[in-house]
Amino acid sequence: MTVLSVDIRKKIYANDCCAIENLAFKAQPGEFVAIVGPSGAGKTTLLNLIAGLDQEMQGSITFHSGQERRASPRTSFMFQEPRLIPWLNVQQNLELVLTPRLRAQPLVALADLLALVGLSGCAAMFPGQLSGGMQRRVALLRAFIIEPSLLLMDEPFQSLDAPTAEQLRVLLQALWQRTHPTVLFVTHSLREAISLADRILFLSERPSRVILDLPIDLPHPRLIEDVPVQNLHESLLRKHPQLLAGQIAPASERTAKAAFLRVINGGVVDPG
Ligand code: ADP
């Protein structure tokens, strides 16, 4: 079981744009962590660094099991767009990412997996024949089919209508509960983060750092309209109206966590 440790001292792009400064956190195996922050804070930059797509930075991103340092775990990345190959059908899109061991499994397994994500009978269809929601289902299945230990998600449901996005969040929670990869889920929607995550990391404006690390102790699966999700959303924004802009009063940073733990655990609407 691998722990992810992120300790980025500085990430500066070639144009001198400092995207990240002194951003550190750990993610435990199987933990679902949402990352929330204002547009341009550095969320995509952070995921790209963790995925190793970008390696230019000062600091470290390491994986440990006990005291032992490990190589990067098997990682899936789900982007804002489904990024399916248009000239391959659903089955071929999925087979493209399979390891030889998984590819050797009988095709009935693939049919079962398609049924699991509500795409029975769609194996021979091409991406252009699928709705946006169906394409996301394929992308979600493709992310899970390699049995990742780490799943990086960059606003994957952003452009979908509300009911479709909610169906996909329910599906994501079901898939995550089957194999429990560590998930880092970037979103600018606080409601979405509360409805999914074990823990939310709030990022500051650029250069980004973690301004609040908030555990969400609610049972899964959750829906956006669940009362505890709504209550926590309202309480957080009432207490810290600038939180989504990446700002929190320095003095309240220490007390915020304790206050909101009371909200979550006691079901109190207003932390006072
Ligand atoms: P977010 O995902 O939070 O919206 P990004 O990680 O995309 O933010 O970007 C963080 C900052 O880094 C922004 O100011 C953006 O303009 C800048 N940036 C992102 N990619 C590059 C790049 N390749 N070259 C220069 N600046 C970049």
Side-chain angles (χ1 to χ4, degrees), residues 180-226:
H180 270 282
T182 306
V183 180
L184 300 186
F185 187 102
V186 162
T187 177
H188 62 265
S189 163
L190 179 55
R191 276 200 181 84
E192 181 170 57
I194 297 171
S195 77
L196 288 172
D198 293 324
R199 187 174 148 214
I200 304 178
L201 301 178
F202 291 92
L203 301 190
S204 68
E205 300 169 286
R206 187 170 67 78
S208 66
R209 63 188 176 89
V210 177
I211 52 171
L212 182 64
D213 181 344
L214 183 74
I216 306 294
D217 188 16
L218 298 170
H220 288 277
R222 305 173 201 152
L223 297 173
I224 275 205
E225 66 262 29
D226 285 348

Side-chain angles (χ1 to χ4, degrees), residues 210-254:
V210 177
I211 52 171
L212 182 64
D213 181 344
L214 183 74
I216 306 294
D217 188 16
L218 298 170
H220 288 277
R222 305 173 201 152
L223 297 173
I224 275 205
E225 66 262 29
D226 285 348
V227 172
V229 171
Q230 298 284 356
N231 283 350
L232 183 55
H233 179 261
E234 281 162 31
S235 305
L236 269 168
L237 292 187
R238 193 162 47 238
K239 185 81 176 170
H240 297 290
Q242 291 301 308
L243 190 56
L244 295 183
Q247 292 162 20
I248 185 167
S252 61
E253 229 173 276
R254 221 171 326 122

Side-chain angles (χ1 to χ4, degrees), residues 48-64:
N48 286 341
L49 289 168
I50 293 170
L53 298 175
D54 180 357
Q55 301 183 339
E56 297 292 319
M57 61 148 196
Q58 296 168 35
S60 64
I61 294 171
T62 53
F63 301 92
H64 279 88

Side-chain angles (χ1 to χ4, degrees), residues 25-70:
F25 70 92
K26 284 189 193 331
Q28 299 302 318
E31 198 172 22
F32 198 127
V33 181
I35 298 169
V36 174
S39 182
K43 303 181 292 300
T44 297
T45 302
L46 175 62
L47 287 196
N48 286 341
L49 289 168
I50 293 170
L53 298 175
D54 180 357
Q55 301 183 339
E56 297 292 319
M57 61 148 196
Q58 296 168 35
S60 64
I61 294 171
T62 53
F63 301 92
H64 279 88
S65 185
Q67 292 304 308
E68 214 174 301
R69 195 166 166 155
R70 291 284 165 96

Side-chain angles (χ1 to χ4, degrees), residues 15 21 63 82 101 139 145 154 170 174 178 200 218 262:
N15 59 356
E21 191 166 17
F63 301 92
R101 181 180 68 80
I145 209 168
D154 192 357
V170 170
R178 279 164 60 99
I200 304 178
L218 298 170
R262 280 203 305 279

